[in-house]
Each structure stands twice: as C-alpha cells, then as structure tokens.
Amino acid sequence: MNDIARSVSVDFDRIVKAFGPVQVLHGVSFSLEPGKVYGLLGENGAGKSTLMKILAGYESITEGELRVNGKPQAFTSSRDAEALGIVLIHQEFNLAEDLNVAENIFLGHEKKKGWLLDDASMERDAAAALAQVGLRIDPRTKVRRLIVAEKQLVEIAKAVARQARLLIMDEPTATLTPGETERLFRLIAQLRSEGVTIVYISHKLDEVERITDEVIVMRDGRFVTRAATESVTRHQMANLMVGRELSDLYPPRDAVVLATAPAMRVRDFSVPGWAQQVSFEVRPGEILGFAGLVGAGRTELFEGLLGLRPSAGEVEILGKPAQLKSPRDAARHGFTYLSEDRKGKGLHVHLGLRQNLTLMALERYARPWLKPEAERGALAEAVKDYGIRTGDLDARASSLSGGNQQKLALAKVLQPQPKVVVLDEPTRGVDVGAKRDIYFLVQRLAREGLAVIVVSSELMELIGLCHRVAVMRAGRLVATLDAEHLTEEELIAHATGTAATAASGATHVPA
C-alpha cells in the first residue's frame, strides 16, 4: 500500500437512482471524510446498498454527481472504483465456489510470472490477508468447502488484499462469532489509524455504537440526518431508521403449559463429525432457542434431523416415532426448517413470489394439475398475514428487500402446516423494523400452538424471545437455561466452556 495515498474523501451531490419507472434514491447528498468510520443506517429498502453500489462502481447514477477527492467520477465498473481504492464487501457473498481461496482473493487481479500465473506468490499473500482477519485455513482450500462464517472472512480478506482506501462493509458480522467479530473490530481500528475511510452498514446497533465515529441515517431513499455517534443513543438510532417511535422490540412471553406432551422429542441424536448424543424436547406453544459458537453443530444437527446428513438417534413427533429421510418426509410428519442461507437454500430468488411460497406444499396446489389462481390466492393471503411488502404479486423474489424475503421464506416453510418449525438465524441481515415484525410473527406461531425452535447467534434475540435456551459446544448440548436465568454472560460461558458452576434454573448435560 506504499504506492497509494491512504486517504479518500467522497461527496454525494443530489444523487438520484431509478430502475425503470421506480425511483429508489431521491436526491441524496452528504460527504465522507478520510480516516473515519461511518455507520450507515436504515431499514431494508432505505437505499443504503444501492448508494454504496454506486460508490463502488456496480451501479450507475441516474442524476446527480459523485465526487472522489473533489473530482467528478462516473464509474463504469467496480474495477474503476477499485483503481481509486474503493472496495465493497458484499452482504451476499461474491465468491466463485469452485475456485480455491487464494484464487478468489486475486480473481481479476491475478499475479503473473511471465506468461504464467504466480500461484506461489498469490497463495503467500492470500495467507497473509487471511491472517489479518484471523482465519487460519489453507489458501488452497476450495470455497465450496467453507462454512458461511469462513466465506465472510474470505470476503473481508479479499478487500484487505486489494489495499482498500475506502472500505464498505455490508453486514460483515452477520455470521461471525464474538471472537471473530473482535478481530474484525481490531482490524477496522488499525485501518482507521492508517487513514482508511470505512462505511459500516449494520443492523446491530450495539456494534455501530461501539466502533463508528458518525452515524448517517437514510430512509425511503432519502438522506435523513447525520450525527456524532456518541451523541445518539441506540434507541434514537432505531427511531430515526423507521421514522417512528420504536419500543417493545420483543413481544411479551406467554406461559407454556408444562403438562402438555412434547410436540417433538429427540433422544441421543448424532450427526457424525458435527453432533454427538444430543437430546431435547419442545412443547406446543414453546419457543426453544439454540445458542453456540459457529461450528458448535447447531445447523448441522437440524440438517441431520431433516435427513440432509447421515445421522442416528430417536425422534418422536406428536408422540409417534418418526424416521425422517428427507425434508419432504419431515414436512409430512409436521416438521419444517428455515435455512440460515436465505438466498442459497431458503428461496429461489429468480422465481416468482407464488412459486416460492407454494413449493413445499405443491400437492395442495397441483392436483390433478397446477392451479395458478389457487397459488395466487395463497400468496395474497400470505402477503397480508406476514406483512410482506411488494407492489406486484407477480414479481420475482429477488425484487424484495432482505426483510421481506425473510418473511416470504417463513411463509413458505409454514405452507405445509407444520407442528414444529425450526428458524435458523431468522433475522440475519434484517433491519430493526423487520426484526420486530418477525419476533411478533414467531410469538403468533407459538400462540397458535406450534413448537418453535430458534437457532441464533444473537444472544439478546434468544434472551428476549425464548422460553428456554439450549447451548451447544463442540457438537454437544451442554446446558439448557430457563428464561428467568438467561444472561449474555451465562450463555457465553456455556458456549465457550468457561461456566464454572451450574446456575439456578440451568439444566447441565455432561460435555
């Protein structure tokens, strides 16, 4: 980075962006000074990502002017922006699954020795970039073999390797463990001290409060305000984002009838390499949380229960033994699962809304042949019931904001009318307003008698929403805590293996 001046200033001057007849940015104006960390806040659909894609060369301006270091710029591609040191780390991964990590880090920027690629040099420099973000893997590892959190760190390492002078991070910690998040924050502090400008887009307001110098708020495609971070409380940030007073983020917790027979009982269930001898049960009307660090085996446990991974153990649903060999088989038994990977496994984003909604319940809409009008009626009902914001029932799922995609995915897994539903990271990458909507939807499901299991890396989400939280560590369920005894410290202690003694209200399972 010695050959590049380590500072970038940016001016957005009356920026307008329209996609056809739909205008998504309305005369946005503000500036970014060198060497500061900015928190860019707003609900999904506020225009944050579109504006940053303009800055990074992925989108063009319809009207207005973008100036970098005082000079007007009209980027035609991300390469133009990168030439000035502007790099965007995408919220949705921009990696080639069949290439290895080093090849991804240098994709489009390959190092050569004569006419040949200099693989040794790229692998060495990739290893250095990975070390900066705290990821210790062989740079020759194929990306498709990485878990979601590792892919996120590769994206960050890619930006570091490209010597960014202005770095845009879109939800960078959505899949990271607390330890990985801490390493990222140290890296941000180091880059800031070197004069790098950082735009930090996140719905985790505690992180914004902690690491940013200023917050900039957008709403409905417009600039709302900016302020020194220390002068704005988290509550005020949330209110500015949604444009109204936002209180009672979590719904009141209803009591669970303990005498009720479990809706699902799991005994000594194992997924080779991921989960060992896990036992738990969940009752109708109960919200059961699953906590643990990345790699603890939570997602893999439920993929095993769905029949997606080799597994062994006993499963009962509504008191009857269930041999689940596939997600379709599980759905027939009343058990469904919402994947943490919304765009990769939860939805077919290039299909329409109704095709996505009815995919898991086609038998209801395709006997003896497909009935589009019945599908359309189901979609109209789901849009109303789940608060899915769309102006066109015939739109593709890709046209929805992240929060509305998540609501569509939730409606989809509920189409088979399950008795037990697992929601894996249900609010990942979702703004605070949509989070509240989803929390109240989860409560509604429990009130309707469903047993709901929530897998989440956000500890406050589990504490605010769940009746009990099961904690996994290294593939084993090590403790289950009642709501009255839930604290972040207690959950972290069990997840990391540092809990000294059993807390009152905690059921411990030998590790």
Side-chain angles (χ1 to χ4, degrees):
M1 286 183 262
N2 297 330
D3 59 334
I4 300 178
R6 292 301 309 261
S7 64
V8 165
S9 64
V10 172
D11 295 292
F12 297 105
D13 189 0
R14 296 162 294 161
I15 300 294
V16 172
K17 177 63 181 178
F19 294 98
V22 180
Q23 189 169 328
V24 296
L25 293 177
H26 304 267
V28 175
S29 297
F30 63 84
S31 61
L32 301 173
E33 299 171 13
K36 285 190 174 183
V37 181
Y38 294 92
L40 183 55
L41 306 180
E43 292 189 275
N44 288 111
K48 311 181 303 293
S49 294
T50 300
L51 186 67
M52 290 301 104
K53 285 178 180 178
I54 288 173
L55 177 57
Y58 290 92
E59 297 286 355
S60 60
I61 296 173
T62 303
E63 294 178 24
E65 185 175 76
L66 169 67
R67 294 188 294 274
V68 178
N69 291 337
K71 297 179 180 179
Q73 298 290 340
F75 298 139
T76 59
S77 71
S78 60
R79 278 181 172 273
D80 293 346
E82 287 186 10
L84 293 178
I86 300 171
V87 178
L88 168 63
I89 300 173
H90 297 265
Q91 180 182 354
E92 305 298 337
F93 303 136
N94 193 25
L95 300 172
E97 294 276 322
D98 292 323
L99 298 182
N100 68 33
V101 170
E103 290 166 340
N104 267 278
I105 287 176
F106 287 97
L107 189 60
H109 301 261
E110 291 82 1
K111 294 189 173 187
K112 293 185 178 181
K113 185 183 291 184
W115 291 95
L116 301 176
L117 293 176
D118 190 351
D119 290 325
S121 177
M122 288 190 288
E123 289 168 9
R124 183 173 60 252
D125 290 351
L130 293 169
Q132 274 193 273
V133 302
L135 182 57
R136 292 175 175 80
I137 58 171
D138 188 332
R140 294 169 294 185
T141 305
K142 296 288 187 185
V143 165
R144 66 170 176 267
R145 294 179 55 193
L146 303 181
I147 63 174
V148 173
E150 291 171 334
K151 290 178 182 178
Q152 180 67 76
L153 291 171
V154 170
E155 284 280 20
I156 297 168
K158 184 167 66 172
V160 169
R162 293 183 183 178
Q163 302 182 335
R165 297 156 60 196
L166 189 153
L167 184 56
I168 305 160
M169 297 183 169
D170 196 348
E171 297 289 350
T173 65
T175 62
L176 302 185
T177 66
E180 290 164 342
T181 297
E182 287 298 323
R183 282 193 291 271
L184 175 62
F185 289 171
R186 288 196 293 271
L187 175 62
I188 289 172
Q190 175 192 331
L191 294 172
R192 177 181 178 277
S193 70
E194 295 171 357
V196 177
T197 308
I198 295 172
V199 180
Y200 193 86
I201 303 174
S202 179
H203 299 305
K204 297 181 178 180
L205 300 184
D206 58 327
E207 295 181 358
V208 173
E209 183 179 57
R210 177 179 168 187
I211 69 167
T212 66
D213 299 302
E214 291 188 32
V215 292
I216 297 170
V217 182
M218 293 181 64
R219 186 168 66 241
D220 298 327
R222 293 176 171 84
F223 169 80
V224 175
T225 191
R226 70 186 299 166
T229 305
E230 62 185 13
S231 70
V232 188
T233 67
R234 278 185 248 174
H235 186 72
Q236 290 170 327
M237 291 181 199
N239 290 342
L240 286 167
M241 287 167 61
V242 300
R244 63 184 187 277
E245 177 67 24
L246 185 66
S247 57
D248 301 323
L249 182 61
Y250 298 102
R253 230 184 322 250
D254 297 330
V256 177
V257 181
L258 296 179
T260 307
M264 184 178 196
R265 179 182 280 120
V266 175
R267 289 286 177 268
D268 298 325
F269 199 86
S270 297
V271 179
W274 290 103
Q276 299 86 44
Q277 304 294 305
V278 174
S279 299
F280 68 90
E281 57 187 40
V282 57
R283 288 177 167 79
E286 182 178 20
I287 304 171
L288 173 65
F290 266 76
L293 304 181
V294 172
R298 297 167 300 165
T299 293
E300 293 77 12
L301 167 67
F302 288 104
E303 288 179 345
L305 286 167
L306 281 168
L308 291 171
R309 292 176 180 269
S311 59
E314 299 177 13
V315 180
E316 290 183 6
I317 298 176
L318 300 180
K320 297 179 180 179
Q323 298 290 329
L324 309 180
K325 298 179 181 179
S326 69
R328 182 178 293 274
D329 195 22
R332 289 195 182 109
H333 281 82
F335 175 48
T336 59
Y337 170 80
L338 176 61
S339 172
E340 65 175 336
D341 186 359
R342 179 171 66 235
K343 291 191 176 181
K345 298 177 182 177
L347 295 173
H348 294 275
V349 292
H350 299 301
L351 293 182
L353 305 185
R354 64 178 176 85
Q355 290 91 340
N356 270 284
L357 176 70
T358 61
L359 194 58
M360 291 183 65
L362 273 179
E363 292 177 354
R364 193 185 315 158
Y365 300 98
R367 283 187 176 178
W369 51 76
L370 189 63
K371 302 180 180 69
E373 284 308 309
E375 287 186 302
R376 192 175 180 84
L379 176 60
E381 186 177 342
V383 165
K384 180 181 177 182
D385 284 353
Y386 296 94
I388 301 169
R389 296 180 185 175
T390 177
D392 183 4
L393 293 182
D394 294 318
R396 292 185 178 183
S398 58
S399 70
L400 300 181
S401 68
N404 286 302
Q405 285 184 354
Q406 192 72 341
K407 292 175 186 178
L408 176 63
L410 178 58
K412 169 190 168 183
V413 300
L414 294 171
Q415 273 289 298
Q417 299 176 337
K419 300 300 180 184
V420 182
V421 61
V422 179
L423 309 178
D424 198 344
E425 303 290 357
T427 63
R428 178 191 167 208
V430 166
D431 64 67
V432 65
K435 276 188 177 185
R436 186 178 187 276
D437 291 345
I438 290 171
Y439 295 152
F440 277 77
L441 284 172
V442 169
Q443 184 211 47
R444 191 182 84 192
L445 297 178
R447 283 183 171 175
E448 291 172 354
L450 271 72
V452 185
I453 298 173
V454 176
V455 180
S456 179
S457 299
E458 293 196 34
L459 300 185
M460 286 309 301
E461 182 168 274
L462 296 174
I463 292 168
L465 196 61
C466 300
H467 295 94
R468 293 182 298 137
V469 176
V471 186
M472 290 188 66
R473 184 178 75 249
R476 295 187 180 276
L477 198 159
V478 294
T480 302
L481 291 88
D482 294 330
E484 293 78 7
H485 305 94
L486 287 177
T487 65
E488 286 186 276
E489 293 76 15
E490 188 75 11
L491 290 174
I492 290 171
H494 289 294
T496 57
T498 58
T501 58
S504 174
T507 302
H508 286 249
V509 181

